[in-house]
Amino acid sequence: FPDKRHLIIDSKVSRTAFSDYANADNEVEKKTALNRHLESVRKHVTELADKHYSKLVKGSPEYVIMFMPSEAAYVAAVQADEKLNSFAWDKKVIIACPNIIIMTLQIVNNIWKSDRQERNVKKIVDAANGIYQEFSLFVDAFKKLGKDVKSLQEDYEIGRKRLVDGRGNLVQRFVGMRDLGLLPKKEIDAQTLDDAGITDSKNEDLQDD
């Protein structure tokens, strides 16, 4: 099966006693042969269970399939002993005739497929939980960034007001100090002077130069 899974099937079942049962001439011989057939099947179940194939073959379930190629031999055994399948099941052996084995294989495959799907779903859920957690952290960081930007904008507006707004703002004061005789190597740009309400032909002449 996929994923290195294995299912063990054993088909070495004696048919001698059943042949004697099928060819018996009277009821006594039939009953004796049927008992021997049933005893043979039960013995094979026990021997198969004692081999512990599941421990020898990796990727196999605990149960082993005991295949009886003859439908009639299987029916005769289970009719003779209604508890035969339960006896085998308790020993982790599944008795299967031709009509049953394909269905059994399909059931096992469906169980394994379901198991794979459950494991994949768990991986998807784990991945989704991880992504959700990362997204939650991103949201927190993004909200903090928004607050920082807002705070920065507010600080900028306060600084701008002090720089260019109102009478006696900082730009006007520095220009006034320059006019008293300072010789700066770089003048304040015209846009800032304009924002501060200053028309400064001297500054314009220096910038043109």
Side-chain angles (χ1 to χ4, degrees):
F1 284 93
D3 298 336
K4 297 183 179 180
R5 299 265 194 165
H6 302 278
L7 194 60
I8 302 161
I9 301 175
D10 185 291
S11 61
K12 295 185 289 292
V13 180
S14 174
R15 298 172 63 178
T16 303
F18 178 73
S19 295
D20 293 341
Y21 165 76
N23 296 320
D25 294 328
N26 55 68
E27 290 300 319
V28 175
E29 289 181 359
K30 276 184 173 292
K31 185 175 181 180
T32 301
L34 182 58
N35 287 336
R36 286 193 291 110
H37 171 58
L38 180 58
E39 182 181 350
S40 175
V41 172
R42 293 174 68 94
K43 180 181 179 183
H44 190 68
V45 168
T46 301
E47 290 176 349
L48 192 54
D50 290 341
K51 291 180 179 180
H52 301 291
Y53 276 129
S54 60
K55 294 182 180 179
L56 302 176
V57 181
K58 292 182 178 179
S60 63
E62 294 182 350
Y63 288 84
V64 177
I65 293 180
M66 178 178 139
F67 179 53
M68 296 182 66
S70 170
E71 192 88 26
Y74 170 81
V75 172
V78 295
Q79 285 183 344
D81 183 359
E82 295 180 353
K83 296 182 179 180
L84 179 61
N85 282 322
S86 297
F87 166 77
W89 183 265
D90 290 341
K91 291 183 176 294
K92 302 190 183 303
V93 175
I94 300 171
I95 304 175
C97 61
N99 284 338
I100 292 177
I101 191 166
I102 299 300
M103 181 178 64
T104 303
L105 295 175
Q106 187 59 52
I107 290 173
V108 172
N109 184 51
N110 289 342
I111 291 173
W112 280 341
K113 186 183 295 184
S114 176
D115 177 63
R116 288 196 301 271
Q117 290 172 345
E118 287 180 5
R119 283 188 279 116
N120 288 338
V121 168
K122 185 179 184 303
K123 290 179 181 178
I124 292 171
V125 170
D126 289 343
N129 283 333
I131 293 172
Y132 189 92
Q133 182 177 351
E134 289 299 321
F135 180 72
S136 177
L137 293 173
F138 169 77
V139 170
D140 291 342
F142 193 73
K143 288 171 66 178
K144 183 178 183 302
L145 178 62
K147 292 179 180 179
D148 291 344
V149 170
K150 183 178 180 181
S151 176
L152 185 63
Q153 181 67 31
E154 291 174 350
D155 292 343
Y156 169 79
E157 291 297 333
I158 292 172
R160 184 181 180 282
K161 287 179 180 179
R162 291 176 180 173
L163 187 66
V164 299
D165 285 357
R167 294 178 60 83
N169 59 60
L170 288 173
V171 173
Q172 290 178 356
R173 291 182 183 183
F174 275 104
V175 170
M177 291 171 64
R178 183 204 64 187
D179 292 343
L180 292 175
L182 293 177
L183 298 173
K185 292 182 179 181
K186 187 177 186 307
E187 287 292 340
I188 300 171
D189 67 273
Q191 182 62 55
T192 301
L193 292 173
D194 186 60
D195 290 343
I198 300 172
T199 301
D200 187 14
S201 59
K202 181 179 179 181
N203 185 71
E204 292 176 354
D205 292 340
L206 287 171
Q207 287 187 340
D208 289 340
D209 291 341

